[in-house]
C-alpha cells in the first residue's frame, strides 16, 4: 500500500485520508463494487463520507491507475483495485474475488498469429472467469 499512499497525497489532510480509506476498502475487498456498495462499506466502518465524495475519489483513483472500472448490466459502474503494471483480471464466479494475472503466453500466440495469418497483434483486452483457490476447495 505504500507506493499507492505516495500517489494519493492531495492537498490537505482530509483529502489524503479520504483517498486512502477508499483505496484501502477496494484493496481489501478485491472484487468489483459499485460506488454505492463502497459507500456502505465505509459507513459501516464508522467513516463519515458522502456518496459524491466516494464517486469523486473513485474517479481520481481510476485516473491514477490504481482502480479499474466495469459497466454492469444494471447500467451502474463498478470499481476494483488495480496495480499500475500491465495485468488482467481473473474473476471468481463463486465469490467475486478478483485476482491479477499476467499474460506471458500471449507472446507465443502473437507469434503464431503473425506466422499463420499475417495478423499483427497490437493490443488486447481479456477478462478471465472461473473459480478461485478458496472456492475450488469446497
Ligand atoms: Zn487490475
Ligand atoms: Zn472464489
Ligand atoms: Zn495482457
Amino acid at each position: 500500500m505504500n507506493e499507492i499512499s505516495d500517489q494519493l497525497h492531495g492537498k490537505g489532510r482530509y483529502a489524503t485520508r479520504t483517498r486512502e480509506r477508499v483505496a484501502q476498502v477496494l484493496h481489501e475487498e478485491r472484487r468489483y463494487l459499485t460506488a454505492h456498495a463502497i459507500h456502505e462499506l465505509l459507513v459501516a466502518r464508522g467513516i463519515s463520507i458522502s456518496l459524491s465524495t466516494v464517486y469523486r475519489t473513485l474517479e481520481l483513483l481510476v485516473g491514477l491507475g490504481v482502480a479499474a472500472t466495469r459497466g454492469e448490466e444494471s447500467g451502474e459502474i463498478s470499481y476494483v483495485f488495480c496495480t499500475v503494471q500491465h495485468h488482467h483480471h481473473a474473476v471468481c464466479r463463486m465469490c467475486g474475488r478478483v485476482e491479477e494475472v499476467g499474460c506471458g503466453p500471449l507472446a507465443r500466440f502473437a507469434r503464431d498469429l503473425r506466422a499463420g495469418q499475417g495478423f499483427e497483434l497490437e493490443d488486447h483486452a481479456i477478462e478471465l472467469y472461473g473459480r478461485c483457490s478458496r472456492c475450488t476447495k469446497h
Side-chain angles (χ1 to χ4, degrees):
M1 280 298 280
N2 278 341
E3 61 184 68
I4 298 140
S5 298
D6 289 346
Q7 293 180 64
L8 297 178
H9 284 296
K11 296 168 194 151
R13 241 182 215 169
Y14 175 77
T16 304
R17 262 213 329 263
T18 304
R19 284 166 203 175
E20 280 174 350
R21 278 167 168 174
V22 175
Q24 198 186 345
V25 165
L26 271 190
H27 185 252
E28 285 172 14
E29 291 294 323
R30 293 227 162 241
R31 58 197 168 104
Y32 282 95
L33 292 164
T34 62
H36 268 281
I38 293 161
H39 182 241
E40 274 170 24
L41 285 169
L42 287 161
V43 170
R45 290 175 184 207
I47 297 157
S48 111
I49 186 170
S50 71
L51 182 59
S52 62
T53 302
V54 172
Y55 269 113
R56 271 204 312 277
T57 306
L58 286 168
E59 286 309 311
L60 191 121
L61 295 178
V62 171
L64 289 171
V66 294
T69 58
R70 184 174 77 178
E72 300 298 330
E73 281 175 29
S74 63
E76 280 187 295
I77 291 168
S78 59
Y79 299 81
V80 72
F81 183 85
C82 249
T83 50
V84 180
Q85 77 219 79
H86 179 82
H87 64 271
H88 298 278
H89 292 163
V91 184
C92 176
R93 279 191 161 135
M94 308 287 282
C95 71
R97 185 181 167 87
V98 175
E99 307 271 1
E100 294 187 353
V101 295
C103 54
L106 254 185
R108 191 186 158 180
F109 179 62
R111 277 200 303 275
D112 290 349
L113 265 183
R114 194 183 302 123
Q117 289 169 257
F119 184 85
E120 196 67 42
L121 185 69
E122 292 181 340
D123 204 359
H124 59 270
I126 311 167
E127 196 158 65
L128 303 136
Y129 297 93
R131 275 185 288 171
C132 75
S133 59
R134 289 182 306 190
C135 293
T136 43
K137 278 177 198 155
H138 302 295

